[in-house]
Amino acid sequence: MAVDLALERFQELVRIPTVSRLETDEVEWEHFDRFREALERLYPALHRTLEREIVGGHTMLYRWKGRYSTEPAVLMAHYDVVAATDEGWSHAPFAASVTGSGDTREIWGRGTIDDKGSLVAILEAVESQVESGFQPAHDVYLVFGHDEETHGSGAAAAAAVLEERGIRPSLVLDEGGAVADDAFPGVSEPLAVIGVAEKGPTLVRLVVDQKGGHASTPPRLSATARLARAIVRLNSTPFPAGFNPAVLEMLRTLAPHATGTVGRALRSLAVTKPLLLRVFSKSDETRAMTQTTQAVTQLAAGHAANALPERAEAMVNIRVAVGSSVAEAVKHVRKAIRDDAVAVEIVQGTEPSPISPTSGQAWDTIAATVATSHPEAIVTPYVQTGATDSRSFTGISRGVYRFTPFVLSRAERDALHAKNERMRVASWERGVGFYRDLLARL
């Protein structure tokens, strides 16, 4: 891989603002068309060799024929991104600026981590392998979703196509955990966290409908005040915490590497689970692994500054914990609010995924590849707290995993879906190497 040319290709694709939106008629689909056309030009060897079809409107499904059609694998990424404006960014979100030099070089822009970094790394790896004359042992499918950030319909359509054709992948790898420093208290080594399950993304709308009127004669409890009270009550009533089997497997994996009080606690799980739950509660990242979470993300009310709103709404983004259910989450919301005048409507309900095995050929293949590309890291399973397109594939494969092969600092992880999303170029290059090595093992 010519590093500078690969980076230029990455920059060109980040510059295409493939922003997905909940309202599909607001999406600028011409940018998605331009992105797909750019791939054909930038990766000619891949497009001469692999079969490509468009499913679900804009999702790309490639097939790379292997020597055998048994034990196929699926590599996934998505090319849609969340919206971003220039405000507050050190470098414009769709400029794909590169700063620094040597190992400190960074590429800035929306999608560099989530998730064009993985998508372009896969393309670079496949292109170079095709150019070298390599053919995988088994069929490899590439699935590049177009609406992961909103509906996930493209990946669902791809999974449906494979199921109709009787294709049951032995391994599915999508975005997810990364190689992270300072990810777990008491462990000094970086962790390569591989998601073996993911929480269920669920949207609940809280609605208050009541009589309006002039703002000069408000009732004791207006629609907005009632809604605000419901939000406060919900926010002050967290979901119960507990360790599911995937998290317990993570703790057992980390036990030999942890020091101090945490290390002793990990090696005595039978009696220290309550202590460890308190440790997990101190970090947003670890706390989210142990319980269903909720966050009010949108508010709407009123049409005039001097009129009482007749309707007030709040959107609650819930991530249902592994081992729980959408029904349990909604029951908790209603109980926490304690107000029948606040309607609780399920806008979207998705159950948490099943847990993929941490032994066997699929897991061993990924773990061995990580050990080659990032030998300094401890490979461990974990629960993916964010939703991925891979959830659509759990019905046709037991080996669904979520791992982004980049070293990401805390600051880089915090920039996901936020201002100043960026990634170190050297980290991205190592990710390309990960995919190249993985392809050689498939």
Side-chain angles (χ1 to χ4, degrees), residues 71 169-173 194-198 245-247 249-250 252-253 322 353-367 379-382 393-394 396-402:
E71 303 295 322
S170 60
L171 181 155
V172 176
L173 182 64
I194 300 173
V196 295
E198 67 178 59
V247 175
E249 180 68 16
M250 175 184 181
R252 285 190 284 267
T253 300
V322 173
S353 77
I355 300 174
S356 297
T358 54
S359 62
Q361 183 177 355
W363 171 267
D364 293 344
T365 297
I366 297 172
V379 178
T380 179
Y382 96 120
F393 285 75
T394 57
I396 62 173
S397 176
R398 291 185 65 245
V400 177
Y401 300 96
R402 305 148 185 91

Short mmCIF file of all heavy atoms in Angstrom, two decimals, residues 71 169-173 194-198 245-247 249-250 252-253 322 353-367 379-382 393-394 396-402:
data_model
loop_
_atom_site.label_atom_id
_atom_site.label_comp_id
_atom_site.label_asym_id
_atom_site.label_seq_id
_atom_site.Cartn_x
_atom_site.Cartn_y
_atom_site.Cartn_z
N GLU A 71 -18.23 -22.04 4.68
CA GLU A 71 -17.64 -21.18 5.71
C GLU A 71 -17.41 -19.75 5.22
O GLU A 71 -16.30 -19.19 5.37
CB GLU A 71 -16.30 -21.78 6.20
CG GLU A 71 -16.40 -23.18 6.76
CD GLU A 71 -17.25 -23.24 8.01
OE1 GLU A 71 -17.17 -22.32 8.84
OE2 GLU A 71 -18.00 -24.23 8.15
N PRO A 169 -23.12 -17.21 7.18
CA PRO A 169 -21.70 -16.91 7.44
C PRO A 169 -21.20 -17.54 8.73
O PRO A 169 -21.90 -17.57 9.74
CB PRO A 169 -21.68 -15.38 7.52
CG PRO A 169 -22.94 -14.93 6.84
CD PRO A 169 -23.94 -16.00 7.11
N SER A 170 -19.97 -18.01 8.69
CA SER A 170 -19.34 -18.52 9.90
C SER A 170 -18.76 -17.40 10.74
O SER A 170 -18.57 -17.55 11.95
CB SER A 170 -18.23 -19.52 9.54
OG SER A 170 -17.23 -18.89 8.75
N LEU A 171 -18.50 -16.26 10.09
CA LEU A 171 -17.92 -15.10 10.78
C LEU A 171 -18.49 -13.83 10.18
O LEU A 171 -18.54 -13.69 8.95
CB LEU A 171 -16.40 -15.11 10.68
CG LEU A 171 -15.60 -13.99 11.35
CD1 LEU A 171 -14.18 -14.49 11.68
CD2 LEU A 171 -15.48 -12.74 10.48
N VAL A 172 -18.92 -12.93 11.04
CA VAL A 172 -19.36 -11.59 10.63
C VAL A 172 -18.61 -10.59 11.50
O VAL A 172 -18.62 -10.70 12.73
CB VAL A 172 -20.87 -11.40 10.82
CG1 VAL A 172 -21.29 -9.97 10.47
CG2 VAL A 172 -21.66 -12.40 9.97
N LEU A 173 -17.95 -9.63 10.87
CA LEU A 173 -17.20 -8.62 11.63
C LEU A 173 -17.64 -7.23 11.21
O LEU A 173 -17.54 -6.86 10.04
CB LEU A 173 -15.69 -8.78 11.41
CG LEU A 173 -14.81 -7.80 12.20
CD1 LEU A 173 -14.97 -8.03 13.71
CD2 LEU A 173 -13.35 -7.94 11.81
N ILE A 194 -13.45 -6.77 21.86
CA ILE A 194 -14.24 -7.31 20.75
C ILE A 194 -15.66 -7.52 21.24
O ILE A 194 -15.92 -8.28 22.17
CB ILE A 194 -13.64 -8.64 20.25
CG1 ILE A 194 -12.20 -8.43 19.77
CG2 ILE A 194 -14.50 -9.21 19.13
CD1 ILE A 194 -11.48 -9.72 19.43
N GLY A 195 -16.59 -6.83 20.63
CA GLY A 195 -17.99 -6.94 21.04
C GLY A 195 -18.57 -8.29 20.65
O GLY A 195 -18.59 -8.66 19.47
N VAL A 196 -19.03 -9.04 21.65
CA VAL A 196 -19.67 -10.33 21.40
C VAL A 196 -21.19 -10.23 21.50
O VAL A 196 -21.91 -11.20 21.24
CB VAL A 196 -19.14 -11.42 22.37
CG1 VAL A 196 -17.66 -11.67 22.11
CG2 VAL A 196 -19.37 -11.01 23.82
N ALA A 197 -21.67 -9.09 21.90
CA ALA A 197 -23.11 -8.82 21.97
C ALA A 197 -23.29 -7.32 21.94
O ALA A 197 -22.34 -6.56 22.18
CB ALA A 197 -23.71 -9.41 23.24
N GLU A 198 -24.52 -6.89 21.63
CA GLU A 198 -24.79 -5.46 21.67
C GLU A 198 -26.16 -5.20 22.26
O GLU A 198 -27.07 -6.03 22.19
CB GLU A 198 -24.67 -4.81 20.30
CG GLU A 198 -25.69 -5.22 19.28
CD GLU A 198 -25.49 -4.48 17.95
OE1 GLU A 198 -24.40 -4.58 17.35
OE2 GLU A 198 -26.43 -3.79 17.53
N PRO A 245 -23.39 -12.59 31.18
CA PRO A 245 -22.30 -13.53 30.92
C PRO A 245 -21.14 -12.96 30.11
O PRO A 245 -19.99 -13.33 30.33
CB PRO A 245 -23.00 -14.67 30.17
CG PRO A 245 -24.41 -14.62 30.66
CD PRO A 245 -24.71 -13.16 30.86
N ALA A 246 -21.43 -12.07 29.16
CA ALA A 246 -20.35 -11.50 28.35
C ALA A 246 -19.42 -10.62 29.18
O ALA A 246 -18.20 -10.66 29.02
CB ALA A 246 -20.94 -10.68 27.20
N VAL A 247 -19.99 -9.83 30.08
CA VAL A 247 -19.16 -8.98 30.94
C VAL A 247 -18.36 -9.84 31.93
O VAL A 247 -17.19 -9.57 32.21
CB VAL A 247 -20.02 -7.95 31.68
CG1 VAL A 247 -19.17 -7.16 32.67
CG2 VAL A 247 -20.67 -6.99 30.68
N GLU A 249 -17.25 -12.80 31.41
CA GLU A 249 -16.14 -13.37 30.64
C GLU A 249 -15.03 -12.34 30.47
O GLU A 249 -13.84 -12.66 30.54
CB GLU A 249 -16.63 -13.84 29.28
CG GLU A 249 -15.57 -14.47 28.39
CD GLU A 249 -15.06 -15.80 28.91
OE1 GLU A 249 -15.70 -16.40 29.78
OE2 GLU A 249 -13.99 -16.24 28.43
N MET A 250 -15.39 -11.10 30.27
CA MET A 250 -14.40 -10.02 30.18
C MET A 250 -13.63 -9.90 31.49
O MET A 250 -12.39 -9.77 31.50
CB MET A 250 -15.10 -8.70 29.85
CG MET A 250 -14.20 -7.49 29.85
SD MET A 250 -15.15 -5.96 29.55
CE MET A 250 -13.83 -4.76 29.56
N ARG A 252 -13.12 -12.16 33.78
CA ARG A 252 -12.22 -13.31 33.95
C ARG A 252 -11.00 -13.19 33.05
O ARG A 252 -9.89 -13.59 33.43
CB ARG A 252 -12.99 -14.59 33.66
CG ARG A 252 -13.94 -15.00 34.77
CD ARG A 252 -14.49 -16.39 34.56
NE ARG A 252 -15.52 -16.41 33.52
CZ ARG A 252 -16.83 -16.29 33.76
NH1 ARG A 252 -17.26 -16.15 35.01
NH2 ARG A 252 -17.69 -16.32 32.77
N THR A 253 -11.17 -12.61 31.87
CA THR A 253 -10.04 -12.42 30.96
C THR A 253 -9.05 -11.40 31.51
O THR A 253 -7.82 -11.58 31.40
CB THR A 253 -10.55 -11.95 29.58
OG1 THR A 253 -11.43 -12.93 29.04
CG2 THR A 253 -9.39 -11.72 28.62
N VAL A 322 -28.09 -6.34 27.65
CA VAL A 322 -28.10 -7.76 27.35
C VAL A 322 -28.67 -8.49 28.57
O VAL A 322 -28.25 -8.27 29.70
CB VAL A 322 -26.68 -8.26 27.03
CG1 VAL A 322 -26.65 -9.78 26.89
CG2 VAL A 322 -26.16 -7.59 25.77
N SER A 353 -28.88 -8.21 21.34
CA SER A 353 -28.48 -9.34 20.52
C SER A 353 -28.12 -10.55 21.39
O SER A 353 -27.83 -10.41 22.59
CB SER A 353 -27.26 -8.96 19.68
OG SER A 353 -26.08 -8.96 20.48
N PRO A 354 -28.10 -11.73 20.79
CA PRO A 354 -27.54 -12.88 21.50
C PRO A 354 -26.02 -12.71 21.66
O PRO A 354 -25.40 -11.88 21.00
CB PRO A 354 -27.87 -14.07 20.58
CG PRO A 354 -28.08 -13.46 19.23
CD PRO A 354 -28.63 -12.09 19.47
N ILE A 355 -25.44 -13.50 22.54
CA ILE A 355 -24.00 -13.44 22.81
C ILE A 355 -23.28 -14.43 21.91
O ILE A 355 -23.59 -15.62 21.91
CB ILE A 355 -23.69 -13.74 24.29
CG1 ILE A 355 -24.40 -12.72 25.19
CG2 ILE A 355 -22.19 -13.73 24.54
CD1 ILE A 355 -24.27 -13.03 26.68
N SER A 356 -22.32 -13.96 21.14
CA SER A 356 -21.52 -14.83 20.28
C SER A 356 -20.45 -15.54 21.10
O SER A 356 -19.99 -15.02 22.11
CB SER A 356 -20.87 -14.02 19.16
OG SER A 356 -21.86 -13.44 18.32
N PRO A 357 -20.03 -16.73 20.67
CA PRO A 357 -19.08 -17.52 21.46
C PRO A 357 -17.69 -16.89 21.50
O PRO A 357 -17.27 -16.20 20.56
CB PRO A 357 -19.05 -18.87 20.74
CG PRO A 357 -19.55 -18.60 19.36
CD PRO A 357 -20.52 -17.46 19.48
N THR A 358 -16.98 -17.14 22.59
CA THR A 358 -15.59 -16.66 22.74
C THR A 358 -14.61 -17.81 22.60
O THR A 358 -13.51 -17.78 23.14
CB THR A 358 -15.40 -15.98 24.10
OG1 THR A 358 -15.82 -16.88 25.14
CG2 THR A 358 -16.22 -14.71 24.19
N SER A 359 -15.02 -18.82 21.87
CA SER A 359 -14.13 -19.92 21.49
C SER A 359 -14.61 -20.43 20.14
O SER A 359 -15.71 -20.11 19.69
CB SER A 359 -14.18 -21.04 22.54
OG SER A 359 -15.49 -21.57 22.65
N GLY A 360 -13.77 -21.20 19.50
CA GLY A 360 -14.13 -21.71 18.18
C GLY A 360 -13.41 -20.95 17.08
O GLY A 360 -12.70 -19.97 17.31
N GLN A 361 -13.62 -21.40 15.85
CA GLN A 361 -12.83 -20.89 14.72
C GLN A 361 -13.02 -19.40 14.48
O GLN A 361 -12.05 -18.68 14.24
CB GLN A 361 -13.19 -21.67 13.46
CG GLN A 361 -12.36 -21.27 12.24
CD GLN A 361 -12.67 -22.11 11.02
OE1 GLN A 361 -13.43 -23.06 11.09
NE2 GLN A 361 -12.10 -21.75 9.88
N ALA A 362 -14.25 -18.91 14.52
CA ALA A 362 -14.48 -17.50 14.21
C ALA A 362 -13.79 -16.60 15.22
O ALA A 362 -13.05 -15.67 14.85
CB ALA A 362 -15.98 -17.21 14.17
N TRP A 363 -14.02 -16.84 16.51
CA TRP A 363 -13.36 -16.04 17.55
C TRP A 363 -11.84 -16.16 17.45
O TRP A 363 -11.12 -15.16 17.53
CB TRP A 363 -13.84 -16.46 18.93
CG TRP A 363 -13.05 -15.84 20.04
CD1 TRP A 363 -11.95 -16.36 20.67
CD2 TRP A 363 -13.25 -14.54 20.62
NE1 TRP A 363 -11.48 -15.49 21.62
CE2 TRP A 363 -12.25 -14.38 21.61
CE3 TRP A 363 -14.19 -13.52 20.41
CZ2 TRP A 363 -12.16 -13.21 22.38
CZ3 TRP A 363 -14.09 -12.37 21.18
CH2 TRP A 363 -13.10 -12.22 22.16
N ASP A 364 -11.35 -17.39 17.30
CA ASP A 364 -9.90 -17.61 17.26
C ASP A 364 -9.26 -16.88 16.08
O ASP A 364 -8.14 -16.37 16.20
CB ASP A 364 -9.58 -19.10 17.18
CG ASP A 364 -9.96 -19.86 18.45
OD1 ASP A 364 -10.18 -19.20 19.48
OD2 ASP A 364 -10.03 -21.10 18.40
N THR A 365 -9.96 -16.82 14.95
CA THR A 365 -9.42 -16.12 13.78
C THR A 365 -9.25 -14.64 14.05
O THR A 365 -8.21 -14.04 13.75
CB THR A 365 -10.34 -16.34 12.56
OG1 THR A 365 -10.38 -17.73 12.24
CG2 THR A 365 -9.84 -15.56 11.36
N ILE A 366 -10.28 -14.03 14.63
CA ILE A 366 -10.20 -12.60 14.94
C ILE A 366 -9.14 -12.33 15.99
O ILE A 366 -8.32 -11.41 15.86
CB ILE A 366 -11.57 -12.06 15.39
CG1 ILE A 366 -12.59 -12.19 14.27
CG2 ILE A 366 -11.46 -10.60 15.83
CD1 ILE A 366 -14.02 -11.86 14.68
N ALA A 367 -9.13 -13.14 17.06
CA ALA A 367 -8.17 -12.94 18.14
C ALA A 367 -6.74 -13.09 17.64
O ALA A 367 -5.84 -12.31 18.02
CB ALA A 367 -8.45 -13.92 19.27
N VAL A 379 -6.54 -9.15 24.32
CA VAL A 379 -7.78 -9.40 23.58
C VAL A 379 -8.86 -9.86 24.56
O VAL A 379 -8.66 -10.83 25.30
CB VAL A 379 -7.58 -10.46 22.49
CG1 VAL A 379 -8.90 -10.74 21.77
CG2 VAL A 379 -6.52 -10.00 21.50
N THR A 380 -9.97 -9.16 24.58
CA THR A 380 -11.03 -9.50 25.52
C THR A 380 -12.41 -9.29 24.90
O THR A 380 -12.59 -8.36 24.11
CB THR A 380 -10.93 -8.67 26.81
OG1 THR A 380 -12.00 -9.01 27.69
CG2 THR A 380 -10.99 -7.18 26.52
N PRO A 381 -13.39 -10.12 25.24
CA PRO A 381 -14.76 -9.84 24.82
C PRO A 381 -15.34 -8.70 25.64
O PRO A 381 -14.84 -8.38 26.73
CB PRO A 381 -15.49 -11.16 25.13
CG PRO A 381 -14.72 -11.75 26.26
CD PRO A 381 -13.28 -11.36 26.03
N TYR A 382 -16.38 -8.09 25.12
CA TYR A 382 -17.11 -7.08 25.88
C TYR A 382 -18.48 -6.90 25.27
O TYR A 382 -18.79 -7.47 24.21
CB TYR A 382 -16.31 -5.77 25.96
CG TYR A 382 -16.65 -4.71 24.94
CD1 TYR A 382 -17.10 -3.46 25.35
CD2 TYR A 382 -16.51 -4.94 23.57
CE1 TYR A 382 -17.41 -2.47 24.42
CE2 TYR A 382 -16.81 -3.95 22.65
CZ TYR A 382 -17.25 -2.73 23.08
OH TYR A 382 -17.56 -1.75 22.17
N PHE A 393 -27.55 -9.50 11.35
CA PHE A 393 -26.96 -10.76 10.90
C PHE A 393 -26.99 -11.85 11.96
O PHE A 393 -26.57 -12.98 11.69
CB PHE A 393 -25.52 -10.52 10.43
CG PHE A 393 -25.45 -9.84 9.09
CD1 PHE A 393 -25.73 -8.48 8.97
CD2 PHE A 393 -25.13 -10.53 7.94
CE1 PHE A 393 -25.70 -7.84 7.74
CE2 PHE A 393 -25.09 -9.92 6.70
CZ PHE A 393 -25.37 -8.57 6.61
N THR A 394 -27.47 -11.52 13.16
CA THR A 394 -27.47 -12.54 14.21
C THR A 394 -28.45 -13.66 13.92
O THR A 394 -28.34 -14.74 14.50
CB THR A 394 -27.79 -11.90 15.58
OG1 THR A 394 -29.07 -11.24 15.51
CG2 THR A 394 -26.73 -10.90 15.97
N ILE A 396 -28.62 -15.19 11.02
CA ILE A 396 -28.04 -16.13 10.05
C ILE A 396 -26.63 -16.55 10.42
O ILE A 396 -26.00 -17.32 9.70
CB ILE A 396 -28.05 -15.53 8.62
CG1 ILE A 396 -27.20 -14.26 8.54
CG2 ILE A 396 -29.47 -15.26 8.15
CD1 ILE A 396 -27.03 -13.73 7.12
N SER A 397 -26.12 -16.05 11.55
CA SER A 397 -24.76 -16.42 11.96
C SER A 397 -24.63 -16.37 13.47
O SER A 397 -25.12 -15.43 14.11
CB SER A 397 -23.72 -15.48 11.33
OG SER A 397 -22.42 -15.77 11.79
N ARG A 398 -23.96 -17.37 14.03
CA ARG A 398 -23.66 -17.36 15.46
C ARG A 398 -22.41 -16.55 15.74
O ARG A 398 -22.19 -16.10 16.86
CB ARG A 398 -23.46 -18.78 15.98
CG ARG A 398 -24.72 -19.64 16.03
CD ARG A 398 -24.45 -20.98 16.66
NE ARG A 398 -24.09 -20.84 18.07
CZ ARG A 398 -22.90 -21.16 18.57
NH1 ARG A 398 -21.93 -21.61 17.79
NH2 ARG A 398 -22.66 -21.00 19.87
N GLY A 399 -21.57 -16.37 14.73
CA GLY A 399 -20.27 -15.72 14.94
C GLY A 399 -20.26 -14.27 14.53
O GLY A 399 -19.53 -13.88 13.60
N VAL A 400 -21.07 -13.45 15.20
CA VAL A 400 -21.14 -12.02 14.89
C VAL A 400 -20.31 -11.25 15.90
O VAL A 400 -20.57 -11.32 17.11
CB VAL A 400 -22.60 -11.53 14.90
CG1 VAL A 400 -22.66 -10.02 14.64
CG2 VAL A 400 -23.43 -12.29 13.87
N TYR A 401 -19.33 -10.49 15.41
CA TYR A 401 -18.41 -9.77 16.30
C TYR A 401 -18.30 -8.32 15.85
O TYR A 401 -18.56 -7.98 14.69
CB TYR A 401 -17.03 -10.44 16.31
CG TYR A 401 -17.11 -11.87 16.78
CD1 TYR A 401 -17.18 -12.93 15.87
CD2 TYR A 401 -17.16 -12.17 18.15
CE1 TYR A 401 -17.29 -14.24 16.30
CE2 TYR A 401 -17.27 -13.48 18.59
CZ TYR A 401 -17.34 -14.51 17.66
OH TYR A 401 -17.46 -15.81 18.10
N ARG A 402 -17.87 -7.49 16.80
CA ARG A 402 -17.83 -6.05 16.56
C ARG A 402 -16.48 -5.52 17.05
O ARG A 402 -16.23 -5.42 18.25
CB ARG A 402 -18.99 -5.38 17.31
CG ARG A 402 -20.36 -5.99 16.95
CD ARG A 402 -21.32 -5.96 18.10
NE ARG A 402 -22.58 -6.65 17.80
CZ ARG A 402 -22.80 -7.94 18.03
NH1 ARG A 402 -21.85 -8.69 18.60
NH2 ARG A 402 -23.96 -8.49 17.72
#
